[in-house]
Amino acid sequence: MPITIANIKHRLDERLGDNLTVVAQAGRKKVTRRHGVLKETYPAVFVVDLDPSTNAFKRVSYSYTDLLTKSIEIKFDDGTITN
């Protein structure tokens, strides 16, 4: 069964409140890693509350298509990887 945006949203809905690290491609040969908590999911995006000690801002949002197209990868603290 192909992965759909609805499947991705459903999997993230089950992990609300879990700690995670978001690995994003920030350009050619540049990767950003942000650690935080999966806070909310909406129909088109999900919100991560970031760790204030390591980030300059409080929240960041990503679209489910970022995961679908593998622009970002999510690694939960329990070792589960969503990409």
Side-chain angles (χ1 to χ4, degrees):
M1 182 167 99
I3 297 174
T4 64
I5 291 175
N7 292 355
I8 294 170
K9 182 181 182 321
H10 178 70
R11 289 192 339 222
L12 290 179
D13 283 339
E14 295 173 348
R15 304 297 301 257
L16 287 174
D18 289 354
N19 291 323
L20 55 82
T21 301
V22 179
V23 180
Q25 297 295 328
R28 234 176 74 174
K29 298 182 182 181
K30 187 172 181 185
V31 175
T32 60
R33 296 181 195 283
R34 295 191 173 117
H35 187 72
V37 177
L38 180 59
K39 198 63 172 176
E40 298 175 86
T41 60
Y42 294 101
V45 297
F46 60 96
V47 177
V48 177
D49 278 351
L50 299 175
D51 182 11
S53 65
T54 58
N55 296 289
F57 37 92
K58 291 184 178 183
R59 303 178 126 197
V60 66
S61 64
Y62 297 98
S63 70
Y64 302 115
T65 56
D66 292 335
L67 282 169
L68 189 64
T69 60
K70 300 184 180 181
S71 298
I72 65 169
E73 181 180 87
I74 296 176
K75 297 178 183 179
F76 288 96
D77 285 358
D78 66 1
T80 308
I81 297 174
T82 302
N83 59 353

